[in-house]
Amino acid sequence: MNLIDLATAAFAESSASADIDAAEQAAEAEARFLKYARGCVRKTLDEAAADLLDWQYIPADRLPDQIEEARALLTPGRLEYLRYRVNHSADAEYLDLVQPCRACDNDGISPVTSLVHLGQLLNEEDKPHDQDTDAQEPGPLDAVDAAERRAAVVAALALRLLAQHPDADLTVDTVAVFGHDDGDGSAQLRLKAADLNALRLVAAAMGRNVATKVSGTHPGMVFEHGDVIFTVDGTEVQLRAHTRLPDDEAAAWLAQQDQPEAAAGGDV
């Protein structure tokens, strides 16, 4: 064996050892994440529910950046599954029920807050898309039932947002729930954040950008307003906040607003 053979063999041995170490570390990380998933289910549902689920780790190349995920079928032979996700960029965890649609590519995704809530979601399973609902007369209370179901979803969503972003000091501003006699429902949820910095952190966790504008009439009363709108499981969510500009920034902004008028006056 010459020096080239010796060096090549040493490199191959080192590479094989590194691959083994990487595989062991990945397996340990996967096992640790599945342990977190089971712990989340024990905390959210109960011990018995956690023991009934077989979690599968989802490879990172199938997920967005900074997202880690595991899934567990509710029972063999059905499509519904629980999804445990962690957004590492926002240090937030999610437990959702995912209900794939047999007739289209859209999945119903609902946050799960308790074992009772999970049972409620499963009891609200959508009718097949190919069912002829136009031929059926709506019941006298179908709109009320739809509003009640949607209100429960909105309440769970609001609780989840507040729990996931405690530092944002979120408060619910308004809730509008609509029930329709076709059995469907919709809702609007408006929340306020402590300030624009808090709003931007929440929006970033949701993968959204904040739209801002400045308004005011004199120093001390100039504010930057921001809002972001997105939809979660049929609920339109609007997050908003405002921050008062420092006096120097407010004065500069007010001066800029006066420039067109000043220029117009100089031309006369």
Side-chain angles (χ1 to χ4, degrees):
M1 176 180 291
N2 56 36
L3 182 58
I4 293 177
D5 294 336
L6 184 62
T8 302
F11 175 77
E13 183 178 354
S14 176
S15 298
S17 177
D19 290 342
I20 293 174
D21 291 341
E24 290 176 349
Q25 291 175 5
E28 290 175 358
E30 178 178 329
R32 184 166 55 250
F33 187 79
L34 295 181
K35 181 179 179 181
Y36 294 155
R38 288 188 287 269
C40 180
V41 171
R42 290 190 183 95
K43 177 179 64 177
T44 307
L45 305 182
D46 62 19
E47 187 76 24
D51 293 337
L52 293 173
L53 295 171
D54 181 21
W55 289 94
Q56 303 295 322
Y57 187 80
I58 305 303
D61 58 0
R62 294 170 53 186
L63 300 170
D65 290 340
Q66 299 298 312
I67 297 295
E68 202 168 10
E69 178 179 314
R71 301 176 182 178
L73 288 174
L74 298 189
T75 185
R78 295 191 58 163
L79 298 178
E80 301 99 333
Y81 61 89
L82 286 180
R83 183 182 74 180
Y84 173 74
R85 270 192 171 189
V86 170
N87 183 341
H88 291 287
S89 63
D91 195 23
E93 66 174 6
Y94 312 84
L95 182 65
D96 299 317
L97 171 66
V98 181
Q99 295 172 291
C101 177
R102 295 178 183 272
C104 66
D105 293 329
N106 297 320
D107 294 344
I109 301 175
S110 307
V112 177
T113 60
S114 69
L115 189 62
V116 172
H117 183 224
L118 176 60
Q120 178 187 3
L121 293 172
L122 293 170
N123 196 48
E124 296 169 359
E125 185 174 5
D126 292 336
K127 297 176 182 178
H129 287 205
D130 57 359
Q131 184 171 340
D132 185 11
T133 55
D134 294 336
Q136 298 180 4
E137 291 294 330
L141 293 177
D142 280 0
V144 175
D145 292 340
E148 289 181 345
R149 291 194 299 270
R150 180 54 57 178
V153 172
V154 173
L157 175 59
L159 289 172
R160 189 180 99 176
L161 289 172
L162 267 64
Q164 289 173 348
H165 307 284
D167 296 336
D169 195 22
L170 293 176
T171 58
V172 176
D173 185 359
T174 58
V175 177
V177 178
F178 305 92
H180 310 285
D181 62 4
D182 61 0
D184 196 5
S186 59
Q188 296 175 343
L189 173 64
R190 297 181 63 186
L191 302 100
K192 294 184 292 186
D195 52 35
L196 275 179
N197 288 334
L199 177 63
R200 289 189 175 98
L201 290 175
V202 177
M206 298 293 177
R208 301 295 194 277
N209 295 320
V210 175
T212 61
K213 66 177 181 179
V214 178
S215 65
T217 55
H218 57 277
M221 292 298 293
V222 177
F223 295 87
E224 184 177 11
H225 305 265
D227 70 273
V228 59
I229 299 175
F230 53 92
T231 300
V232 179
D233 192 27
T235 297
E236 181 185 283
V237 181
Q238 179 182 5
L239 303 177
R240 60 190 182 93
H242 67 271
T243 298
R244 188 178 71 84
L245 291 184
D247 289 345
D248 56 342
E249 294 184 21
W253 182 84
L254 289 168
Q256 187 177 22
Q257 308 316 301
D258 292 337
Q259 286 179 3
E261 294 182 5
D267 292 335
V268 176

